Amino acid sequence: MGGRSKDQRNVSAWRPRVPGVVEVFHAHYTEYAYPMHVHDAWTLLIVDDGAVRYDLDRHEHGTPHDTVSLLPPHVPHNGSPATPDGFRKRVLYLDASRLGDELIGPAVDAPDLRDPVLRRRVGQLHAALALPGDELEAESRLTLIGDRLHEHLRPGTGASGAPGARRDPVLARQLRELLDERVVPGIGLAEAAALVPAHPAHLVRAFSGAYGIAPHQYLMSRRVDRARRLLLAGDSPAQVAGATGFYDQAHLTRHFKRLVGVTPGRYRASGARS
């Protein structure tokens, strides 16, 4: 084996409830090599450990850890470890609603993107997709990722068709009012963009620019505020989670502790002591 580790193939895959994401795929391979194959979806790939070498359209490419690779649909490619210990990767498969066929050519010419901001955003999206309940955050992050990919492949214009970001306080206020109306049931970004209406990427940017907070952060803040009142009224964390729009008690606890600094149970107990 010449010092090579024993062949390992550990994978996890799921389909989240986020429009445009066909599949999330995480894998750790030490020796396995993909043969030539195609996908009917876009492959958005980041490598956390090691590196991958692959052929796309008869040209060799590589994926060091600071690179985001975008492989277009219907174009054959393979993949194999480029380091002795293999590689650990995270992949998103995206449908044509996020990236159109007109971008296939540019992606074939330049599939590996050295962009630290894009790399960080893709990692944040994977984190949002890992647990249920954060679909608005995932949609928002995916929309901004799609816009940045368009900028790379078609410089000068994002997916929204408008160069750069611009302030739009009226649009921001409309989205805030919509979120206020839908604190408990929530709302998807696509639905919000249709109701306002505006392109999703512009909607997220306008809101963040006006209020200094992303739409999903605003919604979670409103839910946590409601949860605080119910906890102090004596409701259990499990009851509060269902009454304030969280997916489950664990989802409530994660966001509550992030914003308040303690768990819902400790917060409720402090109110009882008072």
Coordinates of all heavy atoms in Angstrom, one line a residue, residues 59-147:
H59 N -10.2 18.2 -20.1 CA -9.2 19.0 -19.5 C -9.1 18.7 -18.0 O -10.1 18.5 -17.3 CB -9.5 20.5 -19.6 CG -9.4 21.0 -21.0 ND1 -10.4 20.9 -21.9 CD2 -8.4 21.6 -21.7 CE1 -10.1 21.5 -23.1 NE2 -8.8 21.9 -23.0
E60 N -7.9 18.7 -17.5 CA -7.7 18.3 -16.1 C -7.8 19.5 -15.1 O -7.4 20.6 -15.5 CB -6.3 17.6 -15.9 CG -6.1 17.1 -14.5 CD -4.8 16.4 -14.3 OE1 -4.3 15.8 -15.4 OE2 -4.2 16.3 -13.2
H61 N -8.5 19.3 -14.0 CA -8.7 20.3 -13.0 C -8.4 19.8 -11.6 O -8.3 18.6 -11.4 CB -10.1 20.9 -13.1 CG -10.5 21.4 -14.4 ND1 -10.2 22.7 -14.8 CD2 -11.1 20.9 -15.5 CE1 -10.7 22.9 -16.0 NE2 -11.2 21.8 -16.5
G62 N -8.4 20.7 -10.6 CA -8.2 20.3 -9.2 C -8.9 21.1 -8.3 O -9.4 22.2 -8.7
T63 N -9.1 20.6 -7.1 CA -9.9 21.3 -6.1 C -9.2 21.5 -4.7 O -9.5 20.8 -3.8 CB -11.3 20.6 -5.9 OG1 -11.0 19.3 -5.4 CG2 -12.1 20.5 -7.1
P64 N -8.3 22.4 -4.6 CA -7.7 22.7 -3.3 C -8.8 23.2 -2.4 O -9.9 23.6 -2.8 CB -6.6 23.7 -3.6 CG -7.0 24.3 -4.9 CD -7.7 23.2 -5.7
H65 N -8.5 23.3 -1.1 CA -9.5 23.5 -0.1 C -10.1 24.9 -0.2 O -11.2 25.2 0.3 CB -8.9 23.3 1.3 CG -7.9 24.4 1.7 ND1 -6.6 24.3 1.4 CD2 -8.1 25.5 2.4 CE1 -6.0 25.4 1.8 NE2 -6.8 26.1 2.5
D66 N -9.4 25.9 -0.8 CA -9.9 27.2 -0.9 C -10.7 27.5 -2.2 O -11.0 28.6 -2.5 CB -8.8 28.2 -0.8 CG -7.7 28.1 -1.9 OD1 -7.8 27.0 -2.6 OD2 -6.9 29.0 -2.0
T67 N -11.1 26.4 -2.9 CA -11.7 26.6 -4.2 C -13.1 26.1 -4.1 O -13.5 25.1 -3.4 CB -11.0 25.8 -5.3 OG1 -9.6 26.3 -5.4 CG2 -11.6 25.8 -6.6
V68 N -14.0 26.8 -4.9 CA -15.4 26.3 -5.1 C -15.4 25.8 -6.6 O -15.0 26.5 -7.5 CB -16.4 27.4 -4.9 CG1 -17.8 26.9 -5.3 CG2 -16.4 27.9 -3.5
S69 N -15.8 24.5 -6.8 CA -15.9 24.0 -8.1 C -17.4 23.9 -8.5 O -18.2 23.4 -7.8 CB -15.2 22.6 -8.2 OG -13.9 22.7 -8.0
L70 N -17.6 24.3 -9.8 CA -19.0 24.3 -10.3 C -19.0 23.5 -11.6 O -18.4 23.9 -12.6 CB -19.5 25.7 -10.6 CG -20.9 25.8 -11.1 CD1 -22.0 25.3 -10.1 CD2 -21.3 27.2 -11.6
L71 N -19.5 22.3 -11.6 CA -19.5 21.4 -12.7 C -20.9 21.4 -13.4 O -21.9 21.1 -12.7 CB -19.1 20.0 -12.3 CG -17.9 19.8 -11.5 CD1 -17.6 18.3 -11.2 CD2 -16.7 20.5 -12.1
P72 N -21.0 21.7 -14.6 CA -22.3 21.9 -15.3 C -23.0 20.5 -15.6 O -22.3 19.5 -15.7 CB -21.9 22.6 -16.6 CG -20.5 22.2 -16.9 CD -19.9 22.0 -15.5
P73 N -24.3 20.5 -15.7 CA -25.0 19.3 -16.1 C -24.6 18.8 -17.5 O -24.2 19.6 -18.4 CB -26.4 19.7 -16.0 CG -26.5 21.1 -16.2 CD -25.2 21.7 -15.6
H74 N -24.8 17.5 -17.7 CA -24.7 16.8 -19.0 C -23.2 16.8 -19.6 O -23.0 16.4 -20.7 CB -25.6 17.5 -20.0 CG -27.0 17.8 -19.5 ND1 -27.8 16.8 -19.0 CD2 -27.7 19.0 -19.4 CE1 -28.9 17.3 -18.6 NE2 -28.9 18.7 -18.8
V75 N -22.3 17.3 -18.8 CA -20.9 17.3 -19.3 C -20.1 16.2 -18.5 O -20.0 16.3 -17.3 CB -20.2 18.7 -19.1 CG1 -18.8 18.6 -19.6 CG2 -21.0 19.8 -19.8
P76 N -19.5 15.2 -19.2 CA -18.9 14.1 -18.5 C -17.7 14.6 -17.7 O -16.9 15.5 -18.1 CB -18.4 13.2 -19.6 CG -19.3 13.5 -20.8 CD -19.6 15.0 -20.6
H77 N -17.5 14.0 -16.5 CA -16.4 14.3 -15.6 C -16.1 13.0 -14.7 O -17.0 12.2 -14.6 CB -16.6 15.5 -14.8 CG -17.8 15.4 -13.8 ND1 -19.1 15.6 -14.2 CD2 -17.9 15.0 -12.5 CE1 -19.9 15.4 -13.2 NE2 -19.2 15.0 -12.2
N78 N -14.9 13.0 -14.2 CA -14.6 11.9 -13.3 C -14.0 12.5 -12.0 O -14.2 13.7 -11.8 CB -13.6 10.9 -13.9 CG -12.3 11.6 -14.3 OD1 -12.1 12.8 -14.0 ND2 -11.5 10.9 -15.1
G79 N -13.4 11.8 -11.1 CA -12.8 12.3 -9.9 C -12.0 11.3 -9.1 O -12.4 10.2 -9.0
S80 N -10.9 11.7 -8.6 CA -10.1 10.8 -7.8 C -9.3 11.6 -6.8 O -9.0 12.8 -7.0 CB -9.1 10.0 -8.7 OG -8.3 10.9 -9.4
P81 N -8.8 11.0 -5.7 CA -8.0 11.7 -4.7 C -6.7 12.2 -5.3 O -6.0 11.5 -6.1 CB -7.7 10.6 -3.6 CG -8.8 9.6 -3.9 CD -9.0 9.6 -5.3
A82 N -6.3 13.4 -4.9 CA -5.1 14.0 -5.3 C -4.1 14.1 -4.2 O -3.0 14.6 -4.3 CB -5.3 15.4 -5.9
T83 N -4.4 13.5 -3.0 CA -3.6 13.5 -1.9 C -3.6 12.1 -1.3 O -4.5 11.3 -1.4 CB -4.0 14.5 -0.8 OG1 -5.4 14.3 -0.5 CG2 -3.8 15.9 -1.3
P84 N -2.5 11.7 -0.5 CA -2.4 10.3 0.0 C -3.6 9.9 0.9 O -3.9 8.7 0.9 CB -1.1 10.3 0.7 CG -0.3 11.4 0.1 CD -1.3 12.5 -0.3
D85 N -4.1 10.8 1.7 CA -5.2 10.5 2.6 C -6.6 10.7 2.0 O -7.6 10.6 2.8 CB -5.0 11.3 3.9 CG -3.8 10.9 4.7 OD1 -3.4 9.7 4.6 OD2 -3.2 11.8 5.3
G86 N -6.7 10.8 0.7 CA -8.0 11.0 0.1 C -8.6 12.4 0.3 O -7.8 13.4 0.4
F87 N -9.9 12.5 0.3 CA -10.5 13.8 0.4 C -11.8 13.7 1.1 O -12.5 12.7 1.2 CB -10.7 14.4 -1.0 CG -11.6 13.6 -1.9 CD1 -13.0 13.7 -1.9 CD2 -11.0 12.7 -2.8 CE1 -13.7 13.0 -2.8 CE2 -11.8 11.9 -3.6 CZ -13.2 12.1 -3.6
R88 N -12.2 14.8 1.7 CA -13.5 15.0 2.3 C -14.2 16.2 1.6 O -13.7 17.3 1.6 CB -13.4 15.3 3.8 CG -14.7 15.2 4.6 CD -14.5 15.6 6.1 NE -13.4 14.8 6.7 CZ -13.6 13.6 7.3 NH1 -14.8 13.1 7.3 NH2 -12.6 13.0 7.8
K89 N -15.4 15.9 1.1 CA -16.1 16.9 0.3 C -17.5 17.1 0.7 O -18.1 16.2 1.3 CB -16.0 16.5 -1.2 CG -16.9 15.3 -1.6 CD -16.9 15.1 -3.1 CE -17.8 13.9 -3.4 NZ -17.9 13.7 -4.9
R90 N -18.1 18.3 0.3 CA -19.5 18.6 0.5 C -20.0 19.1 -0.8 O -19.4 19.9 -1.5 CB -19.7 19.6 1.6 CG -19.5 19.1 3.0 CD -19.7 20.1 4.1 NE -18.6 21.1 4.1 CZ -18.6 22.3 4.8 NH1 -19.7 22.5 5.5 NH2 -17.6 23.1 4.8
V91 N -21.1 18.5 -1.3 CA -21.6 18.8 -2.6 C -23.1 19.2 -2.5 O -23.9 18.6 -1.7 CB -21.5 17.5 -3.5 CG1 -22.0 17.9 -4.9 CG2 -20.1 17.0 -3.5
L92 N -23.5 20.2 -3.3 CA -24.9 20.5 -3.6 C -25.2 20.3 -5.0 O -24.4 20.7 -5.9 CB -25.1 22.0 -3.2 CG -24.9 22.5 -1.8 CD1 -25.1 24.0 -1.7 CD2 -25.9 21.8 -0.9
Y93 N -26.3 19.6 -5.3 CA -26.7 19.4 -6.6 C -27.9 20.4 -6.8 O -28.9 20.3 -6.1 CB -27.2 18.0 -6.9 CG -26.0 17.0 -6.8 CD1 -25.8 16.2 -5.7 CD2 -25.1 16.9 -7.9 CE1 -24.7 15.3 -5.7 CE2 -24.0 16.0 -7.9 CZ -23.8 15.3 -6.7 OH -22.7 14.4 -6.7
L94 N -27.8 21.3 -7.8 CA -28.8 22.4 -8.0 C -29.5 22.2 -9.3 O -28.8 21.8 -10.3 CB -28.1 23.7 -7.9 CG -27.2 24.0 -6.7 CD1 -26.5 25.4 -6.9 CD2 -28.0 23.9 -5.4
D95 N -30.8 22.5 -9.4 CA -31.5 22.3 -10.6 C -31.4 23.6 -11.5 O -30.8 24.6 -11.0 CB -32.9 21.9 -10.4 CG -33.8 22.9 -9.7 OD1 -33.4 24.2 -9.7 OD2 -34.8 22.6 -9.0
A96 N -32.0 23.6 -12.6 CA -31.9 24.7 -13.6 C -32.6 26.0 -13.1 O -32.4 27.1 -13.7 CB -32.5 24.3 -14.9
S97 N -33.4 25.9 -12.0 CA -34.0 27.1 -11.5 C -33.0 28.1 -10.9 O -33.3 29.3 -10.7 CB -35.1 26.8 -10.5 OG -34.5 26.2 -9.3
R98 N -31.9 27.5 -10.5 CA -30.8 28.3 -9.9 C -29.7 28.8 -10.9 O -29.2 29.9 -10.8 CB -30.1 27.6 -8.8 CG -31.1 27.2 -7.6 CD -31.5 28.5 -6.9 NE -32.6 28.2 -5.9 CZ -33.0 29.1 -5.1 NH1 -32.6 30.3 -5.1 NH2 -34.0 28.8 -4.2
L99 N -29.4 27.9 -11.8 CA -28.4 28.2 -12.9 C -28.9 27.6 -14.2 O -29.2 26.4 -14.3 CB -27.1 27.5 -12.5 CG -26.4 28.0 -11.2 CD1 -25.3 27.1 -10.8 CD2 -25.9 29.4 -11.3
G100 N -29.0 28.5 -15.2 CA -29.6 28.1 -16.5 C -28.5 27.5 -17.4 O -27.3 27.5 -17.2
D101 N -29.0 26.9 -18.5 CA -28.2 26.2 -19.5 C -27.2 27.2 -20.1 O -26.2 26.8 -20.7 CB -29.0 25.5 -20.5 CG -29.7 24.2 -20.0 OD1 -29.4 23.8 -18.8 OD2 -30.6 23.7 -20.7
E102 N -27.6 28.5 -20.2 CA -26.7 29.4 -20.8 C -25.3 29.6 -20.1 O -24.4 30.1 -20.7 CB -27.4 30.8 -20.9 CG -27.5 31.6 -19.6 CD -28.6 31.1 -18.7 OE1 -29.3 30.2 -19.1 OE2 -28.8 31.8 -17.6
L103 N -25.3 29.1 -18.9 CA -24.0 29.2 -18.1 C -23.1 27.9 -18.3 O -22.0 27.9 -17.7 CB -24.3 29.4 -16.6 CG -25.1 30.7 -16.3 CD1 -25.4 30.8 -14.8 CD2 -24.3 31.9 -16.8
I104 N -23.6 26.9 -19.0 CA -22.8 25.7 -19.1 C -21.5 25.9 -19.8 O -20.5 25.4 -19.3 CB -23.6 24.6 -19.9 CG1 -24.8 24.1 -19.0 CG2 -22.7 23.4 -20.3 CD1 -25.7 23.1 -19.7
G105 N -21.5 26.7 -20.9 CA -20.2 26.9 -21.6 C -19.2 27.6 -20.7 O -18.1 27.2 -20.6
P106 N -19.6 28.8 -20.1 CA -18.6 29.4 -19.2 C -18.1 28.5 -18.0 O -17.0 28.6 -17.6 CB -19.4 30.6 -18.6 CG -20.4 30.9 -19.7 CD -20.8 29.6 -20.3
A107 N -19.0 27.7 -17.5 CA -18.6 26.8 -16.4 C -17.6 25.7 -16.9 O -16.7 25.3 -16.2 CB -19.9 26.1 -15.8
V108 N -17.8 25.2 -18.1 CA -16.9 24.3 -18.7 C -15.5 24.9 -18.8 O -14.4 24.3 -18.5 CB -17.3 23.7 -20.0 CG1 -16.2 23.0 -20.7 CG2 -18.6 22.8 -19.8
D109 N -15.5 26.2 -19.2 CA -14.2 26.9 -19.4 C -13.5 27.2 -18.1 O -12.3 27.2 -18.0 CB -14.4 28.2 -20.2 CG -14.9 28.0 -21.6 OD1 -14.7 26.8 -22.1 OD2 -15.5 28.9 -22.2
A110 N -14.2 27.5 -17.0 CA -13.6 27.9 -15.8 C -14.4 27.3 -14.6 O -15.2 28.0 -13.9 CB -13.5 29.4 -15.7
P111 N -14.3 26.0 -14.3 CA -15.1 25.4 -13.3 C -14.6 25.6 -11.8 O -15.4 25.5 -10.9 CB -15.1 23.9 -13.6 CG -13.7 23.7 -14.3 CD -13.5 25.0 -15.0
D112 N -13.4 26.0 -11.7 CA -12.8 26.1 -10.3 C -12.6 27.6 -10.0 O -11.9 28.3 -10.7 CB -11.4 25.4 -10.3 CG -11.5 24.0 -10.5 OD1 -12.5 23.4 -10.0 OD2 -10.7 23.4 -11.2
L113 N -13.3 28.1 -9.0 CA -13.4 29.5 -8.6 C -12.7 29.8 -7.3 O -13.1 29.2 -6.3 CB -14.9 29.9 -8.5 CG -15.8 29.5 -9.7 CD1 -17.3 29.8 -9.4 CD2 -15.4 30.2 -11.0
R114 N -11.7 30.6 -7.4 CA -10.9 31.0 -6.2 C -11.6 32.3 -5.7 O -11.4 33.4 -6.1 CB -9.5 31.3 -6.6 CG -8.7 30.1 -7.0 CD -8.4 29.2 -5.8 NE -7.5 28.1 -6.1 CZ -6.2 28.1 -6.0 NH1 -5.6 29.2 -5.5 NH2 -5.4 27.1 -6.3
D115 N -12.5 32.1 -4.7 CA -13.3 33.2 -4.2 C -13.6 32.9 -2.7 O -14.5 32.1 -2.4 CB -14.6 33.3 -5.0 CG -15.5 34.4 -4.5 OD1 -15.3 34.9 -3.4 OD2 -16.4 34.8 -5.3
P116 N -12.8 33.5 -1.8 CA -13.0 33.2 -0.4 C -14.4 33.5 0.1 O -14.9 32.7 1.0 CB -12.0 34.1 0.3 CG -10.9 34.3 -0.7 CD -11.7 34.4 -2.0
V117 N -15.0 34.5 -0.4 CA -16.4 34.9 0.1 C -17.4 33.8 -0.4 O -18.2 33.3 0.4 CB -16.8 36.3 -0.5 CG1 -18.3 36.5 -0.2 CG2 -16.0 37.4 0.1
L118 N -17.3 33.4 -1.6 CA -18.1 32.3 -2.1 C -17.9 31.0 -1.4 O -18.9 30.3 -1.0 CB -17.9 32.1 -3.6 CG -18.7 31.0 -4.3 CD1 -20.2 31.3 -4.2 CD2 -18.2 30.8 -5.8
R119 N -16.6 30.7 -1.1 CA -16.3 29.5 -0.3 C -17.0 29.5 1.1 O -17.5 28.5 1.5 CB -14.8 29.3 -0.2 CG -14.3 28.2 0.6 CD -14.7 26.8 0.0 NE -14.1 25.7 0.7 CZ -14.5 25.2 1.8 NH1 -15.5 25.8 2.5 NH2 -13.9 24.2 2.4
R120 N -16.9 30.7 1.7 CA -17.5 30.8 3.0 C -19.0 30.7 3.0 O -19.6 30.0 3.8 CB -17.1 32.1 3.7 CG -17.6 32.3 5.1 CD -17.1 33.6 5.7 NE -17.6 34.8 5.1 CZ -16.9 35.6 4.3 NH1 -15.7 35.3 4.0 NH2 -17.5 36.6 3.8
R121 N -19.6 31.3 2.0 CA -21.1 31.2 1.9 C -21.6 29.8 1.6 O -22.6 29.4 2.1 CB -21.5 32.2 0.8 CG -21.4 33.6 1.1 CD -21.9 34.5 0.0 NE -21.9 35.9 0.4 CZ -22.2 37.0 -0.4 NH1 -22.5 36.7 -1.7 NH2 -22.2 38.2 0.0
V122 N -20.8 29.1 0.8 CA -21.2 27.7 0.5 C -21.1 26.9 1.8 O -22.0 26.1 2.1 CB -20.4 27.1 -0.6 CG1 -20.7 25.6 -0.8 CG2 -20.6 27.8 -1.9
G123 N -20.1 27.1 2.6 CA -20.0 26.4 3.9 C -21.1 26.7 4.8 O -21.7 25.9 5.5
Q124 N -21.5 28.0 4.8 CA -22.6 28.4 5.7 C -24.0 27.8 5.2 O -24.8 27.5 6.0 CB -22.7 30.0 5.7 CG -21.6 30.7 6.4 CD -21.6 32.2 6.1 OE1 -22.1 32.7 5.1 NE2 -21.0 32.9 7.1
L125 N -24.1 27.7 3.9 CA -25.3 27.1 3.4 C -25.4 25.6 3.8 O -26.5 25.1 4.2 CB -25.3 27.2 1.8 CG -26.5 26.5 1.1 CD1 -27.9 26.9 1.7 CD2 -26.4 26.7 -0.4
H126 N -24.3 24.9 3.7 CA -24.3 23.5 4.2 C -24.7 23.4 5.7 O -25.5 22.5 6.0 CB -22.9 22.9 4.0 CG -22.7 22.3 2.6 ND1 -23.2 21.1 2.2 CD2 -22.1 22.8 1.5 CE1 -22.9 20.9 0.9 NE2 -22.2 21.9 0.5
A127 N -24.2 24.3 6.5 CA -24.6 24.3 7.9 C -26.1 24.6 8.1 O -26.7 23.9 8.9 CB -23.8 25.4 8.6
A128 N -26.7 25.5 7.3 CA -28.1 25.7 7.4 C -28.9 24.6 6.9 O -30.0 24.3 7.4 CB -28.4 27.0 6.5
L129 N -28.4 23.8 5.9 CA -29.1 22.7 5.4 C -29.0 21.4 6.3 O -29.8 20.5 6.1 CB -28.6 22.3 4.0 CG -28.9 23.3 2.9 CD1 -28.1 23.0 1.7 CD2 -30.4 23.3 2.6
A130 N -28.1 21.4 7.2 CA -27.8 20.2 8.0 C -28.9 19.9 9.0 O -29.1 18.8 9.4 CB -26.5 20.4 8.8
L131 N -29.7 21.0 9.4 CA -30.7 20.8 10.4 C -32.0 21.4 9.9 O -32.0 22.5 9.3 CB -30.3 21.4 11.8 CG -29.1 20.8 12.4 CD1 -28.7 21.7 13.6 CD2 -29.4 19.4 12.9
P132 N -33.2 20.7 10.1 CA -34.4 21.3 9.6 C -34.9 22.5 10.4 O -34.5 22.7 11.6 CB -35.4 20.1 9.9 CG -34.8 19.3 11.0 CD -33.3 19.4 10.8
G133 N -35.6 23.3 9.8 CA -36.2 24.5 10.4 C -35.6 25.8 10.0 O -36.1 26.9 10.2
D134 N -34.4 25.8 9.3 CA -33.7 27.0 8.8 C -33.8 27.1 7.3 O -32.9 27.6 6.7 CB -32.3 26.9 9.3 CG -32.1 27.1 10.8 OD1 -33.0 27.7 11.4 OD2 -31.1 26.6 11.3
E135 N -35.0 26.8 6.8 CA -35.1 26.8 5.3 C -35.0 28.3 4.8 O -34.5 28.5 3.7 CB -36.4 26.2 4.9 CG -36.4 24.7 5.0 CD -36.6 24.1 6.4 OE1 -37.1 24.9 7.3 OE2 -36.3 23.0 6.6
L136 N -35.6 29.3 5.5 CA -35.5 30.6 5.0 C -34.0 31.1 4.9 O -33.6 31.7 3.9 CB -36.3 31.6 5.9 CG -36.2 33.1 5.5 CD1 -36.7 33.3 4.0 CD2 -37.0 33.9 6.5
E137 N -33.2 30.7 5.9 CA -31.8 31.0 5.9 C -31.1 30.3 4.7 O -30.3 30.9 4.0 CB -31.1 30.6 7.2 CG -29.6 30.8 7.2 CD -28.9 30.3 8.4 OE1 -29.6 29.9 9.4 OE2 -27.6 30.4 8.4
A138 N -31.4 29.1 4.5 CA -30.8 28.3 3.4 C -31.2 28.9 2.1 O -30.4 29.1 1.2 CB -31.2 26.9 3.5
E139 N -32.5 29.3 1.9 CA -32.9 29.9 0.6 C -32.2 31.2 0.4 O -31.8 31.5 -0.7 CB -34.4 30.1 0.7 CG -35.3 28.9 0.4 CD -36.7 29.3 0.1 OE1 -37.0 29.8 -1.0 OE2 -37.5 29.2 1.1
S140 N -32.1 32.0 1.5 CA -31.4 33.3 1.3 C -29.9 33.1 0.9 O -29.4 33.8 0.0 CB -31.5 34.1 2.6 OG -32.9 34.3 3.0
R141 N -29.3 32.2 1.6 CA -27.8 32.0 1.3 C -27.7 31.4 -0.1 O -26.8 31.8 -0.8 CB -27.2 31.1 2.4 CG -27.2 31.7 3.8 CD -26.2 30.9 4.7 NE -26.2 31.5 6.0 CZ -25.6 32.6 6.4 NH1 -24.9 33.3 5.5 NH2 -25.6 33.0 7.7
L142 N -28.6 30.5 -0.5 CA -28.5 29.9 -1.8 C -28.7 31.0 -2.9 O -28.0 31.0 -3.9 CB -29.5 28.8 -2.0 CG -29.6 28.1 -3.3 CD1 -28.2 27.5 -3.7 CD2 -30.6 27.0 -3.3
T143 N -29.6 31.9 -2.6 CA -29.9 32.9 -3.6 C -28.7 33.8 -3.8 O -28.3 34.2 -5.0 CB -31.1 33.8 -3.2 OG1 -32.3 33.0 -3.2 CG2 -31.3 35.0 -4.1
L144 N -28.0 34.2 -2.7 CA -26.8 35.1 -2.9 C -25.7 34.3 -3.5 O -24.9 34.9 -4.3 CB -26.4 35.6 -1.5 CG -27.4 36.5 -0.8 CD1 -26.9 37.0 0.5 CD2 -27.7 37.7 -1.7
I145 N -25.6 33.0 -3.2 CA -24.5 32.2 -3.9 C -24.8 32.1 -5.4 O -23.9 32.2 -6.2 CB -24.5 30.7 -3.3 CG1 -23.9 30.8 -1.9 CG2 -23.8 29.8 -4.2 CD1 -24.1 29.5 -1.1
G146 N -26.1 31.9 -5.8 CA -26.4 31.9 -7.2 C -26.1 33.2 -7.9 O -25.5 33.2 -9.0
D147 N -26.3 34.3 -7.2 CA -26.0 35.6 -7.8 C -24.5 35.7 -8.0 O -24.0 36.3 -9.0 CB -26.5 36.7 -6.9 CG -27.1 37.9 -7.7 OD1 -27.8 37.6 -8.7 OD2 -26.9 39.0 -7.3

